[in-house]
Amino acid sequence: MDTFIRFANQTQGRDRLFRATQYTCMLLRYLLEPKADKDVLMKLKKLESSVSTGRKWFRLGNVVHAVQATEQSIHATDLVPRFCLTLANLNRVVYFICDTVLWVKNVGLASGINKDKWQMWAARHYYYFLLLSLARDLYEISLQMAQVTHERAKGGKSSSGDPLGHSVADEMEWLQSFLLLFRSLKRHPPLLLDTVKNFCDILIPLDQLGIYKTNAGVIGFGGLVSSVAGIITVVYPHMKLKTC
Amino acid sequence: MDSWVRFSAQSQARERLCRAAQYACSLLGHALQRRGASPDLQKQIQQLESHLSLGRKLLRLGNSADALESAKRAVHLSDVVLRFCITVSHLNRALYFACDNVLWAGKSGLAPRVDQEKWTQRSFRYYLFSLIMNLSRDAYEIRLLMEQESSACNRRLKGSAGGVPGGLETGGPGGPGSPGRGLPQLALKFRLQVLLLARVLRGHPPLLLDVVRNACDLFIPLDKLGLCRCGPGIVGLCGLVSSILSLLTLIYPWLRLKP
């Protein structure tokens, strides 16, 4: 109970919980659509939309958070993460500005706003943010893989010559690369969590922008997985990927 | 920027900001209505206020658990009166939040058959009981502090001037056989008590803040339950003042009354 309260007292904790609820509703609607009662589907849709609208209150003012994150990422030591994260956070700043404009339209404070245009802009900048975050993740993964290979080479485990021929050697190489990737991610859980989160999240703007259309089930599942990953980083702060 | 990030990271802080905005809208709407502003503008303010109200209900989902935890902690307090007042206040708050969650379910369409009026009245009733308990606790703390302060003053006077007959409690010399001097005597005693109260509150800002906050908050359920119709202007002003005061306790934690 105490852990739940400490978790729920943080804005990010509550927001992630509501996000998980929102995408669970989307997933359930997709799964139950063929068989369930219209009433149940209507209730799921209403819960999804009211949680989605309510979550905007959690995002108001996050422009400042994104500006601060941009400032922090400028001081990253490595060049590639510095470049990727700074640009990613700048895109996040623009995304939050678009989101605030959409909120102003939603509550009826300004009527002359073109909702579709601003929604597209928000989706585009969110997409660039996720793309750049994934680029940084891939760079970090390649570094980890190089490190693992180097450690294995130092340990004296040299790969012996393959006596069975070229085609089997190709398959072995592919398997070895995959195992190397798996090992690299296993020894760096925050990197694995961040990669999974960004990969699942990118499905949303890909669908919104029409680049790669999926269905509500895939988006719901992706959103739910990324929300759970986000909840883990709030409950266990050491699991959050550091800027450094 | 850093302080905003740390402040807004607390979900309670965001909810209090929304509360302040909601009551500011209520006050603004009332002021605009009195000055005959355009109905469009009034409608916009009303719409924003209702969005804020619904948004706050979502932000408050799960606060029942927090109130129950606080009640559990308060059961272990040493002072009997404080233990009773604070525990009962938290329990009423938990029930208020539970009713609020039911209202959210009704407003968001999850439970369309919820009787909004009945559950609103119920929630304000629990809110009122909680505030009454808070004010009782404040009155008890004030009484204790006044007694402490008055006996400290007596000790100082006895130590410096060889004692003042009667001391502060009896308000000076006055025999039973002087009815003509009764009323001024009473007025002097009352004035001394008021001065003592002011001194106690000035010396304990958290207690003063808590008293003012609870007193302002009291007008809201009293108006909504029809016990004391003060009008939307007063309700808006009181709500705004109490929200600002509770934001202050979040920004400066030393201003929060403990336990």
Side-chain angles (χ1 to χ4, degrees), chain B residues 88-108:
Chain B
V88 173
S89 161
H90 282 307
L91 285 173
N92 275 292
R93 225 162 52 96
L95 287 167
Y96 160 68
F97 284 128
C99 295
D100 197 55
N101 294 344
V102 171
L103 282 170
W104 173 81
K107 282 209 166 107
S108 59

Side-chain angles (χ1 to χ4, degrees), chain A residues 9 11 14 58 60 65 68, chain B residues 2 8-9 11 14 59 63:
Chain A
N9 274 343
T11 304
R14 275 200 200 210
F58 286 121
L60 273 185
H65 293 237
Q68 197 194 42
Chain B
D2 197 38
S8 64
S11 59
R14 283 200 189 225
L59 290 173
N63 276 10

Side-chain angles (χ1 to χ4, degrees), chain A residues 14 31 44 47 76 88 96 101 107 116 120 134-135 140 201 228:
Chain A
R14 275 200 200 210
L31 293 172
L44 282 171
L47 176 59
F96 280 128
V101 171
V107 296
D116 292 323
M120 275 297 132
L134 271 173
E140 298 273 359
D201 274 339
V228 169

Side-chain angles (χ1 to χ4, degrees), chain B residues 32-52:
Chain B
L32 288 173
Q33 199 182 30
R34 286 189 68 172
R35 283 170 196 260
S38 79
D40 259 343
L41 182 61
Q42 282 183 50
K43 192 162 159 250
Q44 262 182 335
I45 301 285
Q46 244 172 14
Q47 214 179 358
L48 179 61
E49 193 191 332
S50 75
H51 274 285
L52 280 162

